[in-house]
């Protein structure tokens, strides 16, 4: 009987540890400034999120967001420049929109906290290199995220 109880407690403890580590979004804050992680795959957790193609670009909203996610990707045959209008606001946390070029270089286009939300929009001249280009949202502890990306597709 004692062995069964010890075994049961051990199994319950293991399950608790598994759930505790699987539900943590601490990775988002730890990896927020890690360009190597950002340029690699996506890893995120979002609640009530919607990503849509809109006239002239894309919109993304989420009630909660942590991590990094690719919003746009395109492989180009030659270098080109595009003006990108970005509107980004949130009620808590920190977020940024980054460009990743074909060589894995990460460039922050805009960064936002609740105190520095972008009223209206800002225009950024985006230098797209030949090869694969990506735009990603990266953030942690974000709530009420509202993002719009407007640009002419290359």
């Amino acid at each position: 009987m004692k062995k069964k109880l010890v075994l049961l407690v051990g199994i319950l403890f293991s399950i608790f540890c598994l759930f505790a580590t699987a539900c943590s979004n601490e990775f988002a804050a730890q990896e927020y400034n890690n360009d190597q992680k950002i340029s690699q795959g996506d890893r995120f957790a979002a609640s009530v999120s919607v990503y849509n193609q809109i006239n002239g670009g894309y919109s993304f909203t989420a009630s909660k967001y942590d991590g990094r996610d690719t919003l746009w990707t395109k492989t180009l045959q030659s270098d080109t420049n595009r003006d990108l209008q970005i509107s980004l606001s949130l009620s808590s946390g920190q977020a940024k929109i980054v460009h990743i070029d074909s060589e894995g270089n990460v460039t922050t286009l805009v960064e936002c906290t609740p105190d520095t939300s972008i009223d209206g929009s800002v225009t950024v001249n985006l230098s797209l290199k030949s090869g694969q280009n990506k735009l990603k949202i990266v953030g942690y502890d974000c709530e009420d995220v509202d993002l719009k990306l407007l640009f002419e597709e290359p």
Side-chain angles (χ1 to χ4, degrees):
M1 181 70 170
K2 187 176 180 181
K3 286 183 180 183
K4 288 182 182 181
L5 182 60
V6 169
L7 180 61
L8 180 62
V9 168
I11 291 172
L12 290 175
F13 180 74
S14 298
I15 291 172
F16 173 77
C17 289
L18 179 65
F19 281 121
T21 57
C23 296
S24 173
N25 291 334
E26 280 185 29
F27 76 91
Q30 293 169 350
E31 298 173 356
Y32 184 79
N33 291 309
N34 186 328
D35 286 352
Q36 183 178 5
K37 294 276 188 182
I38 292 170
S39 68
Q40 294 172 350
D42 296 339
R43 180 179 179 193
F44 67 94
S47 297
V48 191
S49 66
V50 178
Y51 179 70
N52 283 319
Q53 186 170 5
I54 58 174
N55 189 21
Y58 301 89
S59 71
F60 174 78
T61 59
S63 63
K64 293 186 178 191
Y65 182 83
D66 289 286
R68 58 190 181 275
D69 188 23
T70 301
L71 300 171
W72 175 85
T73 186
K74 183 96 174 192
T75 302
L76 303 174
Q77 298 302 317
S78 60
D79 296 355
T80 187
N81 289 320
R82 291 286 187 267
D83 283 339
L84 171 64
Q85 289 183 325
I86 303 171
S87 170
L88 176 61
S89 65
L90 43 90
S91 64
S92 69
Q94 187 165 351
K96 60 186 174 182
I97 305 302
V98 299
H99 170 246
I100 303 164
D101 67 18
S102 58
E103 297 170 359
N105 298 314
V106 177
T107 303
T108 299
L109 304 177
V110 296
E111 194 159 10
C112 181
T113 66
D115 297 332
T116 61
S117 288
I118 300 167
D119 294 325
S121 66
V122 295
T123 301
V124 176
N125 186 274
L126 187 58
S127 296
L128 302 169
K129 292 186 176 183
S130 64
Q132 189 177 59
N133 289 268
K134 296 179 183 180
L135 295 174
K136 283 190 177 187
I137 184 170
V138 181
Y140 65 91
D141 297 333
C142 298
E143 292 185 12
D144 304 318
V145 178
D146 187 10
L147 168 68
K148 287 186 182 52
L149 302 171
L150 301 174
F151 63 105
E152 183 181 323
E153 288 274 350

